[in-house]
C-alpha cells in the first residue's frame, strides 16, 4: 500500500486547477514542495456535469512522478473502470456512494487489485449512507463542495460531517476533505478530524505553488 499510514497530515494538491498543458511540470513543482500525494479528479460528464482526465493521461503521468496517485472517480460506473485505472498506475481509488454501486464488493475488488480504497460522500449525502462501508476503506472522502468543478466556495455545514466520520472510522483510517480548502478552512477541517487535505485552486491559482502549499501546511499546525 502506498497511501501514507494514518497519523500524519497530508496535503494532496488537485491538478484540476493546474495548467493541463504542463501537467508534468506542475507535478514536479508540487513534488519539490515535499507533498507525498497528488489528487487526480476524474469526471465523466455523466455523474458530474464536467469531463476531465482518464486512464491514458494518468498512465503518462505515472511515468514522470513517484507521488502517490490519489484518484477521485466522479463517474457513474466505477466498478466497470477500476481495472483500467489500476493498470494506468493509480495507488488509491475513491468512488462515490451516490454512484449506486455495490460498495462493499467494489472495496473488496480494489483491495484484490492491489490498491487502497476510498468512499466519498457529497455535501447533501448524510453520513449514515457510508456508515457500514467506511470502516472497510483506507480513506473516507468528505466533499465540501458539490463535485464537478474547482474553485468553488467551501461549504461549512458539509465539513461538520467530518466529526461523525472520524468517530466511525477511528484513528487508523484516513479522512480526506475536498472542496474549497485553503489556509482559512484548513484549521477548521483539521479540528474536525481530517488528516488529508485536497487543495486545487488554493495552490494552482497562485504563481508560487510552493508558498501556497506551505501556507496550508502552516495552517494545519
Ligand atoms: C471537485 C473536485 C475537487 C476540487 C478541488 O469536483 O473533486 O478535487 O477540484 O479543487 P478546489 O480546491 O479548487 O475546490
Ligand atoms: Zn476531488
Amino acid at each position: 500500500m502506498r497511501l501514507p499510514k494514518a497519523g500524519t497530515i497530508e496535503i494532496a494538491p488537485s491538478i484540476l486547477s493546474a495548467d493541463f498543458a504542463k501537467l508534468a511540470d506542475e507535478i514536479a513543482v508540487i513534488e519539490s514542495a515535499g507533498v507525498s500525494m497528488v489528487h487526480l479528479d476524474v469526471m465523466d460528464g455523466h455523474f458530474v456535469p464536467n469531463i476531465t482526465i482518464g486512464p491514458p493521461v494518468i498512465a503518462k503521468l505515472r511515468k514522470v512522478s513517484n507521488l502517490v496517485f490519489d484518484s477521485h472517480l466522479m463517474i457513474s460506473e466505477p466498478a466497470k473502470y477500476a481495472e483500467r485505472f489500476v493498470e494506468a498506475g493509480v495507488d488509491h481509488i475513491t468512488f462515490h456512494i451516490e454512484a449506486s454501486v455495490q460498495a462493499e464488493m467494489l472495496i473488496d475488488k480494489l483491495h484484490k487489485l492491489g490498491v487502497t480504497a476510498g468512499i466519498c460522500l457529497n455535501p447533501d449525502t448524510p453520513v449514515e449512507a457510508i456508515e457500514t462501508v467506511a470502516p472497510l476503506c483506507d480513506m473516507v472522502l468528505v466533499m465540501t463542495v458539490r463535485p464537478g468543478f474547482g474553485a468553488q466556495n467551501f461549504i461549512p455545514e458539509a465539513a461538520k460531517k467530518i466529526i461523525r466520520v472520524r468517530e466511525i472510522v477511528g484513528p487508523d483510517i484516513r479522512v480526506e476533505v475536498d472542496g474549497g480548502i485553503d489556509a482559512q478552512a484548513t484549521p477548521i477541517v483539521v479540528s474536525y478530524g481530517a488528516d488529508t487535505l485536497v487543495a486545487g485552486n488554493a495552490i494552482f491559482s497562485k504563481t508560487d505553488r510552493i508558498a501556497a502549499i506551505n501556507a496550508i501546511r502552516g495552517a494545519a499546525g
Side-chain angles (χ1 to χ4, degrees):
M1 115 163 183
R2 292 194 71 226
L3 188 71
K5 213 168 161 288
T8 57
I9 298 277
E10 302 292 336
I11 298 167
S14 159
I15 56 165
L16 188 58
S17 293
D19 183 343
F20 272 22
K22 296 182 186 160
L23 278 182
D25 297 342
E26 294 277 42
I27 290 177
V29 169
I30 60 167
E31 209 157 351
S32 75
V35 302
S36 58
M37 304 165 64
V38 59
H39 184 83
L40 305 171
D41 286 307
V42 176
M43 305 186 189
D44 66 352
H46 187 259
F47 182 72
V48 288
N50 197 6
I51 301 175
T52 55
I53 60 166
V57 174
I58 293 172
K60 287 292 183 188
L61 295 176
R62 182 73 287 173
K63 293 189 194 304
V64 298
S65 172
N66 282 322
L67 290 176
V68 174
F69 278 11
D70 165 29
S71 65
H72 177 192
L73 305 191
M74 288 161 273
I75 66 176
S76 295
E77 294 186 90
K80 186 170 165 186
Y81 295 97
E83 279 97 343
R84 284 202 237 167
F85 284 96
V86 174
E87 281 161 19
V90 304
D91 300 293
H92 177 85
I93 293 184
T94 290
F95 62 94
H96 275 255
I97 192 72
E98 301 87 359
S100 53
V101 281
Q102 292 185 290
E104 284 188 35
M105 274 177 62
L106 183 49
I107 292 163
D108 194 42
K109 177 175 177 167
L110 294 174
H111 286 150
K112 286 188 175 129
L113 287 170
V115 294
T116 47
I119 192 83
C120 180
L121 74 169
N122 282 339
D124 300 324
T125 303
V127 176
E128 290 72 51
I130 59 153
E131 206 159 350
T132 56
V133 292
L136 309 173
C137 293
D138 306 280
M139 182 155 79
V140 175
L141 174 53
V142 177
M143 290 302 299
T144 43
V145 298
R146 291 187 178 80
F149 300 91
Q152 301 183 73
N153 291 333
F154 176 73
I155 304 173
E157 302 74 42
K160 291 199 180 114
K161 289 190 288 184
I162 294 167
I163 300 169
R164 179 71 191 126
V165 170
R166 179 53 80 193
E167 273 173 17
I168 293 168
V169 301
D172 297 332
I173 292 175
R174 285 196 167 272
V175 179
E176 185 174 39
V177 59
D178 184 5
I181 300 300
D182 57 13
Q184 272 178 313
T186 289
I188 301 167
V189 297
V190 170
S191 76
Y192 291 166
D195 56 14
T196 311
L197 313 171
V198 176
N201 185 60
I203 294 171
F204 291 104
S205 70
K206 303 288 187 325
T207 313
D208 189 344
R209 275 91 160 119
I210 298 177
I213 289 168
N214 286 335
I216 295 170
R217 207 175 258 145

